[in-house]
Amino acid sequence: MKVLLNNEQKEAVESIIGPLLIIAGPGSGKTRTLVERIIYMLEEKKIEPRNILITTFTERAARELITRISERIKDKSVNLNELYIGTIHSVCLKIIDEYIFKTGLYQGYEILDDINQKFFIYRKMKEFKEIDEYEEFFKGRYLPTDWKKAIFLQKWFNRLSEENISLDDIEKKNIFLRKSYEKYSILLKINNLLDFGSIQRVALNLIENNSDVLLELREKIRYIMVDEYQDTNKIQERIIFLLGGENGNICVVGDDDQGIYRFRGATVKNILLFPENFPEGVCKIIKLTKNYRSPWGIVDFCKEWINSLQWDKFRYPKEIEAVGNKDVEQATVVKLSVKNSEIQWMERIYKFLLYLKEKEIIENYNQIAFLSISVKDKRMISLGHYLEKKGIKIYSPRSNLFFYREEIRNLIGVFLNIFPKITEKIMENPYNSDIKDYYRSSSVKIEKESKNYKELREWIKKKKKYYEDNFKGKEGLLDLFYEIISLEIFKKYLENKTMEVIENREAYNLGIFSKILKDFEILSKVEILTTENLERAMLYFFNSHLKFLKDNGIDEYEEPKELVPKNAISFLTIHQSKGLEFPVVIIGSLDRIPIGRENITDKDLEQLFKKEEYEPSYRIEEFDFWRLFYTGFSRAKNLLILSCIENETGKKIVPSLPFKRLYDKLPDVASGALKFDNLKLDIIENSKLKETYTFTGDINLYNRCPFKYKLTKIFKIESKKSLGAIYGILIHETMEKLHILILEKGLENIIEEDIFKIYYKIYLSLKESTNVTLGKSILNKGLNQINDYLKNEKEILNHLKNVEEKISLVEDCGILEGTLDMIIEENNKYSIIDFKTGDVPENEELLEGYKNQIKFYSYLLHKRKNFPIKEGILYFIKNQKKEIIPITDKDLIEIEKFYKNIIEKIKENQFQEKKYDKVKCKNCEYFHYCTLNS
């Protein structure tokens, strides 16, 4: 199907050589232009996919590009898997993975999320306290607890990482910050960890300090495209220009009017001064100004808003135009407000929403979004509760309501009730009154619930007795969790037949709580409760761990493929809404003004980061304010509504002065200017994004038990890692590191001392990150097995072609991914080896799964690289036994049918079947669940 492009889009598509800046206004067909540009490069210009790097703002945007390219491209021989595509962070991770041996990391490293980064710093506070300047640094900051100090340090460590600040410059002004950051960086490396902020810094150091790596990357990457360039930061710009090299084929796309991420270190300077990185006249500038999203009324309103501020040189001039004829009869921007009464405001919004639904003006509530600066303020939360009580569901995952959800209060109540003596001690604590009130109400709630659930009542009674009289110390909090969710009161959340996100919020929240428990077990080093540690562990869990999380706030689940869930109105921050569009957008926060609050706690440190701002410092707040609301206003496709509780007296005038002139000109939603009979709203289409599937994590897991797949993969309920699993990771990662060394140095240059150092370095890191200790005899056994393997398998190792080969394959059913342990080559024929650390399984089903895995990897390798596959080999390192699996064309056809059948069932949400077997399932996390409910 031929895609029609306007003149500016066509010029952007065909401008391939040299630097290019595309200014893309709202709704201007930016994604379509990017897709067509990539296809033009691949099909018309015959550029190899591996020579193209594309970065996007979100992973979802990257998947959308891949999906649309795969659907549009005619030449199916083009290997889309070789495109470098993803967020800048994911591209940096890909570079790190390719050259990991030069980073000090090794395979299997983990990336700390925001909460775990806080806990990591908190656990290491003792080490920071040993720095001489510690006391002086925190003096006068009023951070009374180590937890608050950890959050404070996290903020500044991230600033140092993301803004690529010179530590030498920092040391001149604050030696503690330099020393503590260096200590933190060392601790991350020792534990084989990255945090989100350090990903880019590690990648930058890699390419800046290794000229061979940079040269190799430049040879591969000849063309660069960067989306949302207005929201890039200093370190990202540095990486892009380093990779771009001398050829300068760098295309950046963005809209300076939508630069809203300064608080994350982004600077609009990057896009405004992009052409100045090249000789005068070399950089081509193309403006996409035709808005295909919104009608004239919305476009004109957005233009009037952005032009109501004097921008001087700090904005590209542009004239955005809607496509189509102006309908002067139909208002598309209106106000929906009341005077001075919050109750009346909520009721008026409710009646308006109900009218739209009853008159069938909307098909689904997901056509409406309420955008504001924050979804955590009391007014937004009150409105959400009000609408939900009236029967209108709200999707607001960042409103800080996780700990107030019924299912979470019930879970916490159950834990408190089975440890009554510990609960008494929690309540005796003279501090923490807020959290005590929360625990008390949760405990009382579950006591009331137990009157209606006999099974729950009896289970709590049994567990109380067990912990008081017969406790043997064989389970942890996660084990208890698996039992608790087996009970009828929680089971109803997991047996829902519909898989819509909003209908399964409770199940997703159970998954989040399971991660809280798993993180606690690792962080506290209490994986198994014992008579010695029970009281100490539980008091710490309730008085510190859960309290910190509740104070910090936990986001609820956000489905990346369904950003606009069905049957609910989205309550989002304007930042969350970036890249989205809605038929109806209601904008709140009209009481705000562009004045920031000075943080006295940070004032001295802010001075350390003061750089010569491109924009005048006294105008930054208003620039950011105007850009933020411009972004929010321009999300509307058919109808834009400004809503507030008007107030014309007192200190706070609402709407505030920045909005008042435009707001006062708007007709009321009920004035007649908005003709509901003529109002046509777009529908929200189902996501068509291609999902990613692996053999172990998806295909084989589903094949063994669809119900477990649902709990593990869909609801994200955590699994426990056994001693056997940790031992397997240790053997696997050691062999992987040794195989890389063999490729670098040759087998003959590997000595036993190398093996010993690698083995124990990996073990100590695993011990730290998982809190699992392996006995001396087990460790010796593993080391001996690896030494025996290297001595006895020289034939294999001398034909080593590649190790840890990551392969992805874009197909109609989805994106297939796999990591091949080893590829060996002999006489131009290839064999794939997959290493197993256990015995050859007697269970035929398990062995068949292993064989299918090898066939799946053979299929990926053959399709991706057209390699002739001779055989697959299952190598059981424990006894050095090999299971040879010849690979034929018939095998590849059969495995293709096998995985496609399973993927189809996953897409159809066929998860109800429980493949329950008392013997086979005895070690499964959900053994209790299926025993009770089968």
Side-chain angles (χ1 to χ4, degrees):
M1 182 183 73
K2 187 154 180 76
V3 172
L4 296 176
L5 300 172
N6 64 40
N7 291 337
E8 293 76 22
Q9 290 171 337
K10 190 171 186 293
E11 185 183 4
V13 164
E14 295 177 357
S15 300
I16 303 302
I17 303 301
L20 173 65
L21 168 61
I22 302 173
I23 301 294
S28 60
K30 178 189 69 173
T31 304
R32 178 199 300 169
T33 304
L34 287 176
V35 168
E36 294 307 311
R37 190 173 194 269
I38 296 163
I39 289 172
Y40 178 79
M41 293 168 76
L42 295 171
E43 291 193 329
E44 298 295 326
K45 293 299 182 181
K46 305 299 180 187
I47 295 169
E48 293 291 333
R50 65 176 175 271
N51 296 146
I52 303 172
L53 165 66
I54 307 132
T55 74
T56 58
F57 191 72
T58 64
E59 286 299 340
R60 187 182 189 279
R63 283 166 55 203
E64 183 179 358
L65 278 181
I66 280 287
T67 300
R68 288 171 66 165
I69 294 165
S70 66
E71 289 171 350
R72 283 277 299 118
I73 199 159
K74 295 173 187 172
D75 185 356
K76 298 302 180 185
S77 66
V78 173
N79 192 349
L80 297 179
N81 311 289
E82 293 183 343
L83 289 169
Y84 272 80
I85 186 166
T87 62
I88 291 184
H89 285 86
S90 69
V91 168
C92 286
L93 285 172
K94 189 170 183 178
I95 292 169
I96 289 168
D97 286 342
E98 287 184 21
Y99 301 96
I100 194 164
F101 52 92
K102 290 181 180 283
T103 64
L105 296 164
Y106 45 90
Q107 293 290 352
Y109 62 82
E110 292 185 20
I111 300 168
L112 296 171
D113 61 19
D114 177 70
I115 288 294
N116 281 338
Q117 185 190 13
K118 286 183 174 72
F119 274 116
F120 181 77
I121 296 169
Y122 173 69
R123 282 175 59 209
K124 303 298 181 183
M125 283 304 296
K126 183 179 178 184
E127 305 212 27
F128 298 124
K129 288 176 181 178
E130 292 171 359
I131 299 172
D132 291 340
E133 295 79 10
Y134 173 86
E135 294 293 341
E136 183 64 26
F137 179 79
F138 284 107
K139 187 177 178 181
R141 297 197 191 276
Y142 190 66
L143 299 166
T145 65
D146 281 355
W147 177 249
K148 289 186 182 296
K149 290 183 176 74
I151 293 173
F152 188 77
L153 285 177
Q154 179 202 34
K155 172 184 173 179
W156 293 103
F157 290 167
N158 287 345
R159 287 282 299 272
L160 286 166
S161 293
E162 289 167 358
E163 298 183 34
N164 199 28
I165 304 295
S166 164
L167 294 185
D168 291 336
D169 290 345
I170 291 295
E171 183 177 9
K172 293 170 191 172
K173 301 169 184 173
N174 195 303
I175 194 166
F176 174 81
L177 193 56
R178 174 182 180 141
K179 286 182 179 179
S180 60
Y181 181 75
E182 286 179 330
K183 169 73 74 176
Y184 173 67
S185 300
I186 290 167
L187 290 169
L188 287 178
K189 193 172 281 190
I190 288 170
N191 291 282
N192 204 30
L193 295 169
L194 288 171
D195 61 46
F196 196 68
S198 67
I199 290 169
Q200 296 168 134
R201 190 151 191 160
V202 170
L204 179 61
N205 290 340
L206 175 63
I207 58 180
E208 277 190 324
N209 300 328
N210 297 276
S211 56
D212 56 329
V213 171
L214 181 57
L215 190 63
E216 199 172 306
L217 285 169
R218 283 178 173 175
E219 278 296 310
K220 284 191 283 190
I221 299 169
R222 304 291 185 86
Y223 303 87
I224 295 175
M225 297 167 65
V226 184
D227 191 14
E228 303 288 2
Y229 195 64
Q230 77 280 354
D231 283 320
T232 54
N233 59 26
K234 182 180 173 184
I235 192 170
Q236 290 166 350
E237 183 187 53
R238 175 75 178 143
I239 290 168
I240 288 158
F241 276 92
L242 273 172
L243 294 175
E246 293 178 2
N247 68 48
N249 295 327
I250 302 172
C251 167
V252 301
V253 188
D255 181 5
D256 50 301
D257 290 339
Q258 297 183 65
I260 60 175
Y261 278 93
R262 190 189 304 271
F263 68 95
R264 287 189 186 169
T267 171
V268 77
K269 175 184 177 182
N270 288 355
I271 194 168
L272 291 175
L273 296 188
F274 177 77
E276 296 184 20
N277 291 286
F278 309 94
E280 188 175 349
V282 169
C283 179
K284 182 183 281 192
I285 301 174
I286 299 172
K287 296 179 183 179
L288 305 182
T289 56
K290 288 185 173 64
N291 186 319
Y292 296 90
R293 175 188 296 159
S294 310
W296 278 100
I298 294 173
V299 170
D300 286 345
F301 180 85
C302 292
K303 280 163 60 177
E304 196 172 354
W305 167 260
I306 204 72
N307 290 327
S308 64
L309 197 66
Q310 178 62 44
W311 292 91
D312 299 322
K313 64 179 181 178
F314 305 108
R315 173 178 182 258
Y316 283 108
K318 56 187 83 74
E319 191 63 31
I320 307 296
E321 298 177 343
V323 175
N325 298 322
K326 283 193 178 184
D327 182 0
V328 294
E329 300 296 321
Q330 174 68 299
T332 52
V333 185
V334 296
K335 58 188 173 188
L336 195 166
S337 304
V338 301
K339 292 188 183 295
N340 302 321
S341 171
E342 185 169 339
I343 289 292
Q344 288 178 15
W345 176 68
M346 293 190 292
E347 179 65 14
R348 191 163 190 227
I349 288 174
Y350 164 68
K351 286 181 177 177
F352 171 71
L353 299 174
L354 193 64
Y355 180 83
L356 292 181
K357 195 75 170 72
E358 288 180 344
K359 295 296 182 180
E360 299 183 350
I361 297 168
I362 57 170
E363 291 184 15
N364 195 292
Y365 278 122
N366 73 346
Q367 292 169 269
I368 302 169
F370 202 120
L371 308 183
S372 59
I373 287 181
S374 171
V375 290
K376 295 179 181 178
D377 67 56
K378 290 180 180 178
R379 182 160 290 168
M380 287 298 293
I381 290 172
S382 296
L383 177 61
H385 286 327
Y386 186 86
L387 294 177
E388 286 195 321
K389 282 180 182 176
K390 296 279 192 175
I392 297 176
K393 292 183 177 176
I394 300 300
Y395 174 69
S396 184
R398 299 188 194 176
S399 57
N400 208 10
L401 293 174
F402 175 81
F403 280 101
Y404 298 94
R405 298 298 187 191
E406 180 183 61
E407 63 279 5
I408 300 305
R409 292 184 63 209
N410 282 345
L411 258 178
I412 290 170
V414 171
F415 276 108
L416 290 166
N417 270 269
I418 59 179
F419 298 111
K421 291 181 179 177
I422 292 169
T423 302
E424 281 178 25
K425 294 200 170 184
I426 294 168
M427 298 306 171
E428 288 169 3
N429 187 334
Y431 306 105
N432 299 340
S433 59
D434 288 349
I435 197 73
K436 282 194 299 184
D437 290 342
Y438 174 78
Y439 290 151
R440 192 177 289 111
S441 67
S442 298
S443 181
V444 169
K445 184 176 186 306
I446 208 65
E447 286 170 11
K448 290 179 181 176
E449 293 282 7
S450 66
K451 293 175 182 176
N452 301 319
Y453 290 94
K454 181 183 176 185
E455 176 195 50
L456 172 66
R457 189 167 64 249
E458 291 179 351
W459 184 86
I460 290 175
K461 184 179 177 182
K462 182 181 78 173
K463 277 293 176 184
K464 275 185 189 176
K465 184 171 176 56
Y466 169 70
Y467 279 105
E468 288 174 4
D469 301 335
N470 306 308
F471 182 45
K472 305 232 177 6
K474 291 184 178 179
E475 61 190 7
L477 288 180
L478 254 184
D479 298 300
L480 269 172
F481 170 83
Y482 299 136
E483 283 193 57
I484 292 168
I485 63 171
S486 307
L487 302 170
E488 183 67 33
I489 189 172
F490 297 102
K491 176 193 149 190
K492 62 188 177 185
Y493 303 134
L494 303 175
E495 298 279 357
N496 203 337
K497 288 196 170 120
T498 176
M499 293 306 297
E500 299 293 345
V501 171
I502 201 69
E503 307 295 339
N504 287 281
R505 182 175 65 195
E506 297 88 353
Y508 285 113
N509 281 344
L510 293 180
I512 292 169
F513 197 83
S514 74
K515 185 178 186 305
I516 290 172
L517 295 175
K518 186 171 184 177
D519 289 343
F520 168 76
E521 290 184 344
I522 293 168
L523 291 165
S524 66
K525 301 186 181 298
V526 179
E527 193 159 324
I528 300 295
L529 296 170
T530 65
T531 51
E532 291 79 21
N533 70 21
L534 177 64
E535 183 175 309
R536 173 176 55 84
M538 296 309 292
L539 286 174
Y540 175 72
F541 177 66
F542 284 109
N543 283 336
S544 297
H545 194 87
L546 266 192
K547 179 188 182 301
F548 293 157
L549 290 175
K550 185 173 178 296
D551 290 346
N552 189 75
I554 293 280
D555 290 341
E556 296 182 87
Y557 181 73
E558 294 180 59
E559 172 55 70
K561 69 180 179 183
E562 193 182 351
L563 291 176
V564 186
K566 288 180 181 175
N567 307 320
I569 294 174
S570 293
F571 273 35
L572 306 174
T573 66
I574 297 174
H575 286 95
Q576 267 180 288
S577 75
K578 179 179 167 120
L580 302 179
E581 55 186 26
F582 299 88
V584 180
V585 168
I586 305 173
I587 296 280
S589 301
L590 301 185
D591 57 332
R592 299 298 185 97
I593 53 175
I595 296 176
R597 295 178 183 175
E598 187 174 66
N599 193 330
I600 297 169
T601 309
D602 301 58
K603 193 174 180 181
D604 62 318
L605 296 180
E606 284 291 355
Q607 296 303 315
L608 305 182
F609 288 78
K610 280 282 182 197
K611 45 192 181 290
E612 194 154 327
E613 290 281 2
Y614 174 61
E615 300 151 293
S617 58
Y618 68 91
R619 299 206 64 193
I620 281 174
E621 295 291 347
E622 64 176 357
F623 281 170
D624 287 352
F625 188 83
W626 253 258
R627 289 173 182 142
L628 182 65
F629 278 93
Y630 178 80
T631 302
F633 295 149
S634 61
R635 299 308 91 202
K637 294 181 76 174
N638 308 120
L639 180 62
L640 173 63
I641 302 170
L642 275 63
S643 184
C644 65
I645 303 169
E646 295 177 2
N647 181 36
E648 297 176 356
T649 59
K651 290 183 180 179
K652 197 165 189 180
I653 305 298
V654 183
S656 64
L657 192 59
F659 302 105
K660 188 161 179 54
R661 185 177 63 83
L662 291 177
Y663 175 88
D664 285 347
K665 292 194 291 185
L666 295 178
D668 187 83
V669 70
S671 67
L674 175 58
K675 295 176 172 53
F676 290 99
D677 291 342
N678 298 331
L679 185 59
K680 305 296 181 192
L681 300 180
D682 293 345
I683 61 168
I684 302 288
E685 295 182 0
N686 291 333
S687 171
K688 295 177 182 176
L689 295 186
K690 289 186 186 292
E691 292 299 305
T692 299
Y693 301 96
T694 66
F695 186 85
T696 306
D698 293 286
I699 294 159
N700 197 46
L701 177 59
Y702 181 92
N703 190 48
R704 294 186 71 180
C705 183
F707 186 72
K708 182 172 182 176
Y709 182 92
K710 178 171 81 166
L711 270 55
T712 305
K713 292 290 291 187
I714 307 297
F715 297 147
K716 315 290 185 191
I717 294 178
E718 293 284 341
S719 299
K720 290 201 76 158
K721 281 185 178 173
S722 62
L723 280 174
I726 301 303
Y727 175 75
I729 293 169
L730 171 61
I731 300 295
H732 202 98
E733 290 190 4
T734 303
M735 290 178 66
E736 175 193 315
K737 187 78 172 175
L738 289 168
H739 290 149
I740 291 170
L741 270 181
I742 290 167
L743 283 172
E744 284 179 13
K745 297 168 60 173
L747 179 60
E748 66 280 2
N749 295 314
I750 305 298
I751 58 175
E752 284 200 18
E753 187 180 351
D754 291 332
I755 302 166
F756 183 88
K757 284 181 180 177
I758 290 168
Y759 183 77
Y760 275 98
K761 182 181 177 183
I762 292 171
Y763 168 64
L764 291 174
S765 175
L766 279 171
K767 182 182 175 185
E768 178 71 18
S769 63
T770 65
N771 192 37
V772 174
T773 302
L774 300 176
K776 188 175 180 180
S777 61
I778 294 175
L779 288 169
N780 288 337
K781 182 178 74 172
L783 190 57
N784 290 336
Q785 287 174 4
I786 290 169
N787 279 315
D788 290 344
Y789 161 74
L790 293 176
K791 287 174 188 171
N792 300 331
E793 298 297 351
K794 290 181 180 175
E795 181 67 21
I796 286 176
L797 295 170
N798 284 328
H799 289 96
L800 194 54
K801 172 74 175 173
N802 209 350
V803 297
E804 293 302 308
E805 174 90 5
K806 288 181 168 64
I807 292 185
S808 70
L809 190 64
V810 179
E811 296 211 331
D812 290 342
C813 62
I815 301 169
L816 310 178
E817 288 188 347
T819 302
L820 285 56
D821 287 351
M822 181 185 283
I823 301 170
I824 58 174
E825 179 188 5
E826 190 173 3
N827 300 324
N828 292 322
K829 291 278 181 99
Y830 294 84
S831 299
I832 295 171
I833 300 182
D834 196 61
F835 291 96
K836 305 296 180 187
T837 52
D839 288 310
V840 179
E842 295 178 4
N843 183 328
E844 281 298 320
E845 185 183 352
L846 187 56
L847 184 58
E848 188 62 27
Y850 289 166
K851 290 179 179 179
N852 282 335
Q853 183 180 9
I854 280 282
K855 291 175 184 176
F856 180 76
Y857 290 162
S858 300
Y859 175 86
L860 293 185
L861 189 62
H862 177 68
K863 291 279 281 189
R864 167 79 186 273
K865 299 194 173 181
N866 203 25
F867 282 177
I869 311 297
K870 175 187 170 188
E871 63 192 12
I873 301 170
L874 291 170
Y875 191 102
F876 296 91
I877 193 168
K878 184 175 181 180
N879 44 30
Q880 294 180 35
K881 286 187 178 179
K882 301 187 205 56
E883 181 87 22
I884 310 293
I885 302 118
I887 303 296
T888 65
D889 289 344
K890 184 182 176 184
D891 290 317
L892 298 180
I893 291 168
E894 286 179 352
I895 199 68
E896 183 179 14
K897 287 180 183 174
F898 174 72
Y899 80 71
K900 282 185 175 178
N901 178 51
I902 285 178
I903 288 174
E904 191 59 36
K905 289 179 178 177
I906 291 171
K907 287 181 174 180
E908 292 173 355
N909 297 323
Q910 296 182 28
F911 300 127
Q912 296 308 309
E913 182 184 5
K914 302 183 184 80
K915 293 190 177 179
Y916 175 64
D917 181 294
K918 268 193 174 180
V919 177
K920 290 181 184 176
C921 299
K922 65 180 180 181
N923 294 320
C924 176
E925 296 91 339
Y926 309 110
F927 180 75
H928 291 286
Y929 189 102
C930 294
T931 302
L932 282 174
N933 299 302
S934 289

